[in-house]
Amino acid sequence: TRLFISDSSGVSNSGESSKESSRCSTPVLDADRTDRLRDKMKRRIESGDRWFSLEFFPPRTAPGAVNLISRFDRMGSGGPLFIDVTWHPAGDPGSDKETSSMMIASTAVNYCGLESVLHLTCCNQTKEKITAHLNKAKRLGLKNIMALRGDPIGKDWVEEDGGFNYATDLVKHIRCEFDDYFDICVAGYPTGHPEAESYEDDLRHLKEKVDAGAHFIITQLFFRAETFLKFVKDCRAIGITCPILPGIFPIQGYHSLRQLVKLSKLEVPEEIMQVIEPIKDNDAAIRNYGIQQAVEMCKVLLASGEVPGLHFYTLNREVATMEVLRQLGLWAEDPRRPLPWAVSAHPKRKVEDVRPIFWASRPKSYIYRTQDWDDFPNGRWGNSSSPAFGELTDYYLFYLKSKSPKEALLQMWGEELMNEESVYEVFTNYITSQTNRNGHKVMCLPWNDDPLAPETNLLKDELEKVNRRGVLTINSQPNINGKPSSDPIVGWGPAGGYVFQKAYLEFFTSSENVTALLQVLKKYEPRVNYHIVNVQGRNTTNAHDMQPNAVTWGIFPGREIIQPTVVDPVSFMYWKDEAFALWIEQWAKLYEDESPSRMIIQYIHDNYFLVNLVDNDFPLDSCLWQVIEDMFTLLDSPPETQKD
Amino acid sequence: TRLFISDSSGVSNSGESSKESSRCSTPVLDADRTDRLRDKMKRRIESGDRWFSLEFFPPRTAPGAVNLISRFDRMGSGGPLFIDVTWHPAGDPGSDKETSSMMIASTAVNYCGLESVLHLTCCNQTKEKITAHLNKAKRLGLKNIMALRGDPIGKDWVEEDGGFNYATDLVKHIRCEFDDYFDICVAGYPTGHPEAESYEDDLRHLKEKVDAGAHFIITQLFFRAETFLKFVKDCRAIGITCPILPGIFPIQGYHSLRQLVKLSKLEVPEEIMQVIEPIKDNDAAIRNYGIQQAVEMCKVLLASGEVPGLHFYTLNREVATMEVLRQLGLWAEDPRRPLPWAVSAHPKRKVEDVRPIFWASRPKSYIYRTQDWDDFPNGRWGNSSSPAFGELTDYYLFYLKSKSPKEALLQMWGEELMNEESVYEVFTNYITSQTNRNGHKVMCLPWNDDPLAPETNLLKDELEKVNRRGVLTINSQPNINGKPSSDPIVGWGPAGGYVFQKAYLEFFTSSENVTALLQVLKKYEPRVNYHIVNVQGRNTTNAHDMQPNAVTWGIFPGREIIQPTVVDPVSFMYWKDEAFALWIEQWAKLYEDESPSRMIIQYIHDNYFLVNLVDNDFPLDSCLWQVIEDMFTLLDSPPETQKD
């Protein structure tokens, strides 16, 4: 903990601006959420914490984009300081296509919460076009640019007057047009740029780029640690002081290596070729060698004291890079979560620290539907009647569609449904992660694209029991009465704190069940709050119609209380539209029009209710299972008893 | 709990205004904090909860004002629905004098948190003057007016054209100039107004007043329940439907009764005079009779079903009215606190639900120093660098000076101080509430105008020990790990919730102690947060310089989390000025210039430090006593050990 010394005269001065100030809170965020990339690097360098970063290229197809985005989520969990996305002039990189560099980088920032660097090349581009790209990047929440010259089109490229002939021109342009807005990265060539007159000449160019306003350097790949260390020494010698990150390329296969060498005009050292040539047809052997070679080289680099972080050329693959990082001890198996949900990296959203619980399994959908908000709730949910949620449009469905192809979904959810009970079985199999009668595991549901979260696993037995009987659960959390914030399953937030939860359960169920449930819930007033709604929007609740209920909160040393998850009555009505729509969009449409299977799903969609329950008495064992039990008891009892 | 039914189409409409909306929170407050007086009455009538209200007149002297204000606090704790303050045209009632009707009513609203009705008389007043009074009342946060004609000056008063001749004119004027802003009360005369032509004629006048826009009626006093009940029946018969509150006058003495009868031209019934005349010189006997008589009459009134609330003419005395209310079961011995501190009744302040802990014993000072704020923190403390705190001015000291006269203070705090230890003894005697060596109990300190709070009493033994050794405590709270919100000592907020606290300790101590303390505190990082400051404002802390620390919070059914008390680094510097100033203003100035006693206090003021400590680990026993113990151990150890 740092020691702050201030004196009171400063305090008195700061008081003067009171009249303009709103009492609304400006939360003090963790530096990790507010700092610019350059400052994060600075802090890591000062503290001696090594980092890593990951480079990806944009996918060629829409399914490829869906895959890459889930790869961002998986690789993001290892704790990269940033990722970067390359720029392919031939692929319409600045467009709104799902596969464009711009859109992929924007998705990484906004939906995956990753600090991201967008590459940008300038040759054969007009200033106007470049400025338009930068404006768009800024609008999308991107804060970092890797400024590159790019490869000229055609062999006979000549310098253009007034155009961009060097990356330096681009760096200057960014600084000139956008002042200090972007953090800028430039490329360094440990063996000199292939087109440079000499290694020394190339170093001078690099110095110019940095002097023009770049904040850090990422190098081209290399194969020997000493190549990079000499390069750093030479850079320092001519006065380049910014961070220089080595580009690490774990060899992943014979052909990709050959391809890369050709493009980059690099020479693979003899000692490597000697190992690889004999095993060139054994992919696994080459990858293992590549991992071992990268680990050895990285160890030398890190031990040198000259390397604050490692940059990985992933080639959009996971295994090799993750393995290298694991062996180096840099992969954060259990990254500390600042909040219980993934924080978006968009600069406008960084104050956000409250969300409705409903989108817990669909955070990207929540971000998409609230992307037009001008400000985000912090401290508390606020006046929930005001925000507009985005409509359920086709485009929005792109990022939100299941990762699994139709065939896989049919295998999991049934080629043919017999009746409502077939649906109950799908839910039950998802909970138990057992194989269904056709031998397939149910790995996802329309409301949950991933297997059960570890936290939900705590409730597995109870969930199985109720799903079997037609209480089709789509969201739940156990009550927590003050577990350490470091708890591996339910912990989040700064160290030394305590986290709390109220038990929550959300499910679809038939109108018969709802009638009994409402009867039972009277006994649980005011301990249990409920909202019950059908697809037409008829809503029955015992909660205040404007007051959100905080269901997750944390108490931390030296801070105000953080309450990141609420059950909010107004946004529940927006969620309801989405939750019901998923029955049709993701499930019913798998089947032919008019088919019995489709009609069963349609019937559930039209007739079932969506219910959420909160047990407010968080220090006691959750009573929600007893509520459901009581509902079934009432349903099973003779009719005269039911009229009580 | 009520059941709300809404439908989703309404929700979608409300979404449209999103662009203008700020995400800042508009908290949903309890109806008791937001409703207008008329609505509170309506809710009480519907629920069948009886209420009472209290009438006071403005004091004649400044010490009288100080007394009346502390009477407001004491009588406010019994839970009146409102109080009212009479208007004395001869006493400059609309002025800024401490003793004016306007200032007294404003104090009741703003500083005592009491719903208040200001009387206003109109005869012999210009419209402009009346409007000016009303504007001022509005500005001060008053929302309710009792509209009266008042007594004409001189016997030969004649109606003025264009002036105010009847209370009806005033009611109309208020409605015309201020629309619906004020709730209006008018007077009813159960035996007819003394100047009215007839009882029936007076009833018609009353009907006119109500039709002109009054919301409820308070009656003149009366001595028999049937007088009032007949009056209510007659009012209802001619179409007066608003609440009619009986004015109850517990007879408190022979002379005050005679005086009142003369002024009001009422006749005391024979059966009362027969009891009183024989005991007219025995004040206690008359008061006992008066209590008994009032209780009997009130019981009849309440049993009639016609009386929703009782209005008491207190004559600015406490005992008789409180006793009547206790016997009727209307005095709330343990009124539920909506927040751990008294909520101001000013309409602008009603969203306020966070305050710094420093002013816990000086809430009026806090309200005074923040009265110019345009909005108040809710949900969280917010950006604490912006608000300006009012300066420590003379006027401000008026409301904040000790209730005790100088002589009493000298008896408690010492006619003559020998050394710093004499001061330690005063603090220790305050904590233990034992008599000092001159036989006087120390009932207050400059920082605490009242004896130890029940909650602080929990810490009594530890506090005594440290004060004896020169750790001069002025504020503290124990840690609380989830007690029910109904707990009689530490509970607050709605039923069914849980309250929490971090242990807090604030004290003055010598710079030698502070040196050792800072050494000791290193061992307690990051569990303990501290701020240490001297009168010059040199501040040492291990807390973030902008981040407040929530030290009291509550979790309630169906709500967001409430965190009403924070340790805020910026406002601590404003509090520091006040805390140090109190040494001089309240204590040193009791003694002659240059006297040894004065110089001792001055020395402490100039050399001691103000320290606050928070133990963040609220589920564990507080470690703050151990911190102090460690400090003394270090001080007692040989010098070489201290250098560790």
Side-chain angles (χ1 to χ4, degrees):
Chain A
T1 317
R2 275 182 297 163
L3 202 79
F4 295 87
I5 306 273
S6 62
D7 88 29
S8 61
S9 60
V11 169
S12 307
N13 290 342
S14 70
E16 304 214 5
S17 61
S18 111
K19 282 300 159 71
E20 302 109 63
S21 93
S22 159
R23 299 293 318 141
C24 290
S25 44
T26 308
V28 177
L29 296 172
D30 295 316
D32 263 338
R33 278 170 74 186
T34 55
D35 275 2
R36 313 181 57 147
L37 182 50
R38 70 181 86 153
D39 297 320
K40 290 182 190 175
M41 287 186 186
K42 200 166 158 238
R43 263 194 305 122
R44 297 277 193 118
I45 291 168
E46 279 164 6
S47 68
D49 284 347
R50 306 300 184 216
W51 73 79
F52 69 92
S53 48
L54 304 170
E55 184 163 311
F56 299 93
F57 53 79
R60 259 171 303 176
T61 63
V66 173
N67 282 339
L68 183 58
I69 292 164
S70 45
R71 179 162 296 128
F72 284 169
D73 287 337
R74 286 191 300 273
M75 296 196 79
S77 72
L81 187 65
F82 64 91
I83 67 138
D84 61 329
V85 178
T86 60
W87 185 262
H88 290 224
D92 205 358
S95 75
D96 286 342
K97 278 192 222 157
E98 299 136 1
T99 53
S100 77
S101 301
M102 189 70 85
M103 283 300 119
I104 292 294
S106 160
T107 301
V109 167
N110 288 289
Y111 295 93
C112 306
L114 296 169
E115 180 85 57
S116 303
V117 178
L118 175 65
H119 289 219
L120 189 59
T121 62
C122 60
C123 82
N124 302 111
Q125 296 263 31
T126 64
K127 284 202 173 174
E128 292 65 35
K129 192 76 198 159
I130 290 286
T131 301
H133 286 324
L134 289 164
N135 271 320
K136 182 167 184 171
K138 184 176 172 183
R139 209 166 52 242
L140 292 169
L142 296 164
K143 294 276 295 175
N144 314 295
I145 297 291
M146 175 127 184
L148 299 162
R149 189 192 70 177
D151 295 315
I153 299 167
K155 284 247 160 185
D156 305 325
W157 175 73
V158 285
E159 294 192 9
E160 268 180 73
D161 284 350
F164 295 103
N165 296 308
Y166 300 100
T168 311
D169 301 332
L170 179 54
V171 174
K172 283 181 183 160
H173 178 75
I174 297 173
R175 275 279 161 279
C176 171
E177 297 282 316
F178 294 86
D179 195 21
D180 201 34
Y181 181 81
F182 289 105
D183 277 24
I184 301 174
C185 172
V186 291
Y189 298 87
T191 52
H193 191 280
E195 293 171 26
E197 288 174 25
S198 68
Y199 175 77
E200 288 69 28
D201 192 51
D202 191 49
L203 274 183
R204 272 192 299 276
H205 273 117
L206 182 58
K207 177 81 162 57
E208 274 173 38
K209 290 196 278 190
V210 173
D211 290 347
H215 298 99
F216 62 104
I217 295 163
I218 294 177
T219 75
Q220 178 59 287
L221 64 91
F222 52 89
F223 295 99
R224 288 174 179 147
E226 59 266 34
T227 311
F228 176 81
L229 294 172
K230 176 180 183 301
F231 173 70
V232 172
K233 204 177 151 200
D234 294 336
C235 286
R236 300 305 183 217
I238 62 165
I240 296 172
T241 58
C242 68
I244 305 173
L245 312 184
I248 309 296
F249 174 75
I251 297 167
Q252 306 200 44
Y254 186 73
H255 294 288
S256 63
L257 178 64
R258 291 258 311 228
Q259 176 83 355
L260 191 103
V261 164
K262 202 177 116 197
L263 283 172
S264 62
K265 294 168 187 149
L266 288 175
E267 221 172 283
V268 183
E270 190 54 33
E271 70 268 23
I272 291 180
M273 287 314 290
Q274 276 176 1
V275 180
I276 283 185
E277 282 289 350
I279 54 172
K280 67 179 175 183
D281 297 320
N282 184 343
D283 285 354
I286 290 196
R287 197 167 62 198
N288 284 340
Y289 169 73
I291 289 169
Q292 179 216 321
Q293 191 267 341
V295 168
E296 296 310 320
M297 190 174 77
C298 289
K299 280 184 178 167
V300 175
L301 291 172
L302 292 172
S304 75
E306 300 291 336
V307 175
L310 302 166
H311 185 74
F312 285 84
Y313 294 104
T314 67
L315 304 186
N316 287 17
R317 296 190 206 152
E318 287 169 60
V319 181
T321 301
M322 274 165 66
E323 186 52 34
V324 172
L325 286 165
R326 282 216 178 86
Q327 291 194 26
L328 292 170
L330 288 176
W331 186 261
E333 282 303 333
D334 176 31
R336 295 211 52 78
R337 301 185 293 169
L339 288 172
W341 32 264
V343 180
S344 172
H346 192 292
K348 219 170 68 173
R349 284 194 94 111
K350 66 189 172 192
V351 298
E352 180 182 28
D353 66 13
V354 193
R355 289 186 186 174
I357 195 171
F358 315 122
W359 283 269
S361 300
R362 298 175 61 75
K364 294 189 179 66
S365 163
Y366 180 76
I367 292 168
Y368 184 86
R369 296 188 68 185
T370 60
Q371 65 183 343
D372 289 336
W373 288 10
D374 287 328
D375 42 0
F376 294 91
N378 61 71
R380 61 197 299 167
W381 175 248
N383 188 339
S384 56
S385 68
S386 48
F389 281 77
E391 289 306 311
L392 296 161
T393 60
D394 284 348
Y395 174 75
Y396 137 83
L397 289 169
F398 162 71
Y399 282 117
L400 309 168
K401 66 184 171 196
S402 179
K403 286 180 292 201
S404 311
K406 183 176 170 176
E407 301 68 43
L409 295 177
L410 282 169
Q411 285 174 344
M412 291 193 270
W413 302 345
E415 303 278 352
E416 216 181 316
L417 302 172
M418 297 300 147
N419 45 35
E420 292 167 62
E421 281 69 31
S422 319
V423 174
Y424 302 177
E425 218 175 284
V426 174
F427 276 82
T428 309
N429 286 330
Y430 171 72
I431 296 292
T432 58
S433 53
Q434 279 161 7
T435 53
N436 62 19
R437 55 187 67 191
N438 302 314
H440 296 284
K441 278 201 181 183
V442 180
M443 305 297 283
C444 62
L445 285 179
W447 307 268
N448 300 278
D449 213 13
D450 293 300
L452 232 49
E455 186 191 8
T456 317
N457 241 315
L458 301 172
L459 309 173
K460 202 166 169 174
D461 294 346
E462 286 92 347
L463 288 170
E464 179 188 347
K465 235 187 285 177
V466 302
N467 276 283
R468 220 174 266 291
R469 301 181 71 177
V471 169
L472 306 176
T473 60
I474 60 168
N475 195 356
S476 60
Q477 68 174 25
N479 63 312
I480 304 287
N481 187 15
K483 288 226 181 166
S485 58
S486 57
D487 185 277
I489 295 178
V490 298
W492 53 272
Y498 294 90
V499 298
F500 293 79
Q501 290 180 181
K502 291 181 180 175
Y504 179 76
L505 193 61
E506 184 179 336
F507 54 86
F508 290 100
T509 205
S510 68
S511 65
E512 296 72 36
N513 287 355
V514 160
T515 307
L517 183 62
L518 277 167
Q519 186 82 356
V520 162
L521 282 167
K522 288 179 196 160
K523 278 199 318 187
Y524 291 88
E525 300 267 0
R527 179 166 173 181
V528 174
N529 279 121
Y530 59 88
H531 292 88
I532 302 178
V533 67
N534 66 2
V535 72
Q536 280 86 38
R538 188 169 168 84
N539 184 20
T540 310
T541 178
N542 69 339
H544 192 287
D545 58 351
M546 293 287 285
Q547 172 79 59
N549 190 349
V551 293
T552 301
W553 64 98
I555 318 296
F556 302 97
R559 301 186 170 236
E560 290 187 278
I561 287 151
I562 307 176
Q563 41 183 328
T565 324
V566 295
V567 168
D568 167 62
V570 179
S571 57
F572 181 62
M573 299 307 280
Y574 292 97
W575 164 246
K576 176 269 296 180
D577 292 339
E578 185 169 337
F580 277 100
L582 287 164
W583 280 110
I584 305 300
E585 295 298 321
Q586 285 214 19
W587 199 336
K589 290 188 174 171
L590 296 176
Y591 308 107
E592 296 286 314
D593 268 9
E594 311 280 325
S595 66
S597 295
R598 184 151 181 170
M599 283 163 69
I600 288 164
I601 301 295
Q602 185 75 47
Y603 176 84
I604 290 178
H605 171 269
D606 295 347
N607 292 282
Y608 275 38
F609 283 76
L610 181 62
V611 177
N612 74 49
L613 303 176
V614 177
D615 178 2
N616 287 298
D617 216 340
F618 63 94
L620 308 183
D621 283 345
S622 165
C623 68
L624 301 183
W625 308 114
Q626 191 58 49
V627 169
I628 307 284
E629 198 52 48
D630 288 0
M631 176 186 86
F632 285 123
T633 306
L634 181 61
L635 285 165
D636 292 344
S637 64
E640 60 271 27
T641 328
Q642 292 189 29
K643 280 180 194 140
D644 279 352
Chain B
T1 319
R2 277 182 296 164
L3 202 78
F4 296 86
I5 307 274
S6 61
D7 87 30
S8 63
S9 60
V11 169
S12 306
N13 290 342
S14 70
E16 304 215 4
S17 60
S18 112
K19 282 299 159 73
E20 305 108 62
S21 92
S22 161
R23 299 292 319 142
C24 289
S25 45
T26 307
V28 177
L29 296 173
D30 296 314
D32 264 338
R33 279 170 74 185
T34 55
D35 276 0
R36 312 181 56 148
L37 181 51
R38 69 181 87 153
D39 298 321
K40 289 184 190 175
M41 287 186 186
K42 198 163 160 245
R43 263 196 303 124
R44 296 277 193 118
I45 290 168
E46 280 164 6
S47 67
D49 284 348
R50 309 297 185 214
W51 74 78
F52 69 92
S53 49
L54 304 170
E55 183 163 312
F56 299 93
F57 53 78
R60 259 171 301 176
T61 63
V66 173
N67 283 338
L68 183 59
I69 292 163
S70 45
R71 178 161 297 127
F72 285 168
D73 287 338
R74 286 191 301 271
M75 297 195 79
S77 73
L81 187 65
F82 64 91
I83 67 139
D84 60 328
V85 178
T86 60
W87 185 263
H88 290 225
D92 205 359
S95 74
D96 285 342
K97 277 192 221 156
E98 299 136 1
T99 55
S100 77
S101 300
M102 189 72 85
M103 283 300 120
I104 292 295
S106 159
T107 301
V109 167
N110 289 289
Y111 294 94
C112 305
L114 296 169
E115 179 84 56
S116 303
V117 178
L118 176 65
H119 289 219
L120 189 59
T121 63
C122 59
C123 83
N124 302 110
Q125 296 263 30
T126 63
K127 285 203 172 175
E128 292 66 34
K129 191 76 198 159
I130 290 286
T131 301
H133 287 323
L134 289 164
N135 272 320
K136 182 167 184 174
K138 185 176 171 182
R139 208 165 54 241
L140 292 169
L142 295 164
K143 293 276 296 175
N144 314 295
I145 297 290
M146 174 129 184
L148 298 163
R149 189 193 70 179
D151 295 316
I153 299 166
K155 283 247 160 185
D156 305 324
W157 175 72
V158 286
E159 294 192 9
E160 268 181 74
D161 285 349
F164 294 103
N165 297 308
Y166 298 100
T168 311
D169 301 333
L170 179 54
V171 174
K172 284 180 183 162
H173 178 76
I174 297 172
R175 275 281 161 278
C176 171
E177 298 281 315
F178 293 87
D179 194 20
D180 201 36
Y181 182 80
F182 289 105
D183 278 23
I184 300 175
C185 173
V186 291
Y189 298 87
T191 53
H193 191 278
E195 292 171 28
E197 288 175 22
S198 69
Y199 175 77
E200 288 69 28
D201 192 50
D202 193 48
L203 275 183
R204 275 191 298 275
H205 272 118
L206 182 58
K207 177 81 162 54
E208 275 173 38
K209 289 196 279 190
V210 173
D211 289 347
H215 298 98
F216 63 102
I217 295 163
I218 295 177
T219 75
Q220 178 58 287
L221 64 92
F222 52 88
F223 295 100
R224 289 173 178 148
E226 58 266 32
T227 311
F228 177 80
L229 294 172
K230 175 181 182 301
F231 173 71
V232 171
K233 206 176 148 201
D234 295 337
C235 286
R236 300 306 183 216
I238 62 165
I240 295 172
T241 57
C242 69
I244 305 174
L245 312 183
I248 309 298
F249 174 75
I251 297 166
Q252 305 202 45
Y254 186 73
H255 294 289
S256 64
L257 178 63
R258 290 262 308 232
Q259 176 82 355
L260 191 102
V261 164
K262 201 177 116 197
L263 283 171
S264 62
K265 294 171 187 146
L266 288 175
E267 223 172 280
V268 181
E270 191 54 33
E271 71 268 21
I272 290 180
M273 286 315 291
Q274 277 175 2
V275 180
I276 283 185
E277 280 292 348
I279 54 170
K280 67 178 175 185
D281 297 321
N282 184 343
D283 284 354
I286 290 195
R287 197 169 62 198
N288 284 340
Y289 168 73
I291 289 169
Q292 180 217 320
Q293 190 268 339
V295 168
E296 295 308 322
M297 191 173 77
C298 289
K299 281 184 179 169
V300 175
L301 291 171
L302 292 172
S304 74
E306 300 290 337
V307 174
L310 302 166
H311 186 73
F312 286 84
Y313 294 105
T314 68
L315 304 187
N316 286 17
R317 295 188 207 156
E318 285 169 62
V319 181
T321 300
M322 274 165 66
E323 186 53 33
V324 172
L325 286 165
R326 283 216 177 86
Q327 292 194 23
L328 292 171
L330 289 176
W331 186 262
E333 283 301 335
D334 177 30
R336 295 210 52 76
R337 302 185 292 171
L339 288 172
W341 33 263
V343 179
S344 172
H346 193 291
K348 220 170 68 174
R349 284 194 94 112
K350 67 189 172 194
V351 298
E352 180 182 29
D353 66 11
V354 193
R355 289 186 186 173
I357 197 172
F358 315 120
W359 283 268
S361 301
R362 298 176 60 76
K364 295 189 179 66
S365 163
Y366 180 74
I367 292 167
Y368 184 87
R369 297 188 68 185
T370 60
Q371 65 184 342
D372 290 334
W373 288 10
D374 287 328
D375 43 0
F376 295 91
N378 62 71
R380 61 198 298 165
W381 176 247
N383 188 339
S384 56
S385 68
S386 47
F389 282 78
E391 289 305 312
L392 296 161
T393 61
D394 284 348
Y395 175 76
Y396 139 81
L397 290 169
F398 162 71
Y399 283 115
L400 308 168
K401 68 184 168 194
S402 180
K403 288 179 292 201
S404 312
K406 181 175 173 177
E407 301 69 41
L409 295 177
L410 282 169
Q411 285 174 345
M412 291 192 271
W413 300 346
E415 304 278 352
E416 218 182 316
L417 302 172
M418 296 299 146
N419 45 36
E420 294 168 60
E421 281 70 29
S422 320
V423 174
Y424 302 177
E425 218 175 285
V426 173
F427 276 81
T428 310
N429 286 330
Y430 171 73
I431 296 291
T432 59
S433 53
Q434 279 161 6
T435 53
N436 62 19
R437 55 187 67 192
N438 302 313
H440 296 283
K441 278 200 182 184
V442 180
M443 305 296 285
C444 63
L445 285 178
W447 307 268
N448 301 277
D449 213 13
D450 293 300
L452 231 49
E455 185 191 8
T456 317
N457 240 316
L458 301 172
L459 309 173
K460 204 166 166 172
D461 294 346
E462 285 92 347
L463 288 170
E464 178 187 349
K465 235 188 285 178
V466 303
N467 275 282
R468 219 174 265 295
R469 300 181 73 175
V471 169
L472 307 176
T473 61
I474 60 168
N475 196 358
S476 60
Q477 69 175 23
N479 63 313
I480 304 286
N481 186 15
K483 288 227 179 164
S485 58
S486 56
D487 184 277
I489 295 179
V490 299
W492 53 272
Y498 293 91
V499 298
F500 293 78
Q501 290 180 180
K502 291 179 180 176
Y504 178 76
L505 192 61
E506 183 180 337
F507 54 85
F508 289 101
T509 205
S510 67
S511 66
E512 297 72 33
N513 287 354
V514 161
T515 307
L517 183 62
L518 276 168
Q519 186 83 355
V520 163
L521 281 167
K522 287 179 197 161
K523 277 200 317 184
Y524 290 89
E525 299 266 4
R527 180 167 173 180
V528 175
N529 279 121
Y530 59 86
H531 292 88
I532 302 177
V533 66
N534 65 3
V535 72
Q536 280 87 37
R538 191 171 168 82
N539 184 21
T540 310
T541 179
N542 68 340
H544 192 286
D545 57 353
M546 293 286 285
Q547 172 78 59
N549 190 348
V551 292
T552 301
W553 64 100
I555 318 296
F556 302 98
R559 301 183 170 241
E560 289 187 280
I561 287 151
I562 307 175
Q563 41 183 326
T565 324
V566 295
V567 169
D568 167 62
V570 179
S571 57
F572 181 61
M573 299 307 280
Y574 292 96
W575 163 246
K576 175 270 296 180
D577 292 338
E578 185 170 335
F580 277 101
L582 287 163
W583 280 109
I584 304 301
E585 295 299 320
Q586 287 214 19
W587 199 337
K589 288 190 175 171
L590 296 175
Y591 309 107
E592 299 284 314
D593 268 9
E594 312 279 325
S595 66
S597 295
R598 184 152 182 171
M599 284 164 70
I600 288 164
I601 300 295
Q602 185 75 49
Y603 176 83
I604 290 177
H605 170 269
D606 295 347
N607 293 283
Y608 275 39
F609 282 76
L610 181 62
V611 177
N612 74 48
L613 303 176
V614 177
D615 178 2
N616 286 300
D617 215 340
F618 62 95
L620 309 182
D621 284 345
S622 165
C623 68
L624 301 182
W625 308 113
Q626 191 58 48
V627 169
I628 306 285
E629 197 53 48
D630 289 359
M631 174 187 87
F632 284 124
T633 308
L634 181 61
L635 285 164
D636 292 345
S637 63
E640 61 272 27
T641 329
Q642 293 189 28
K643 278 179 196 143
D644 279 351

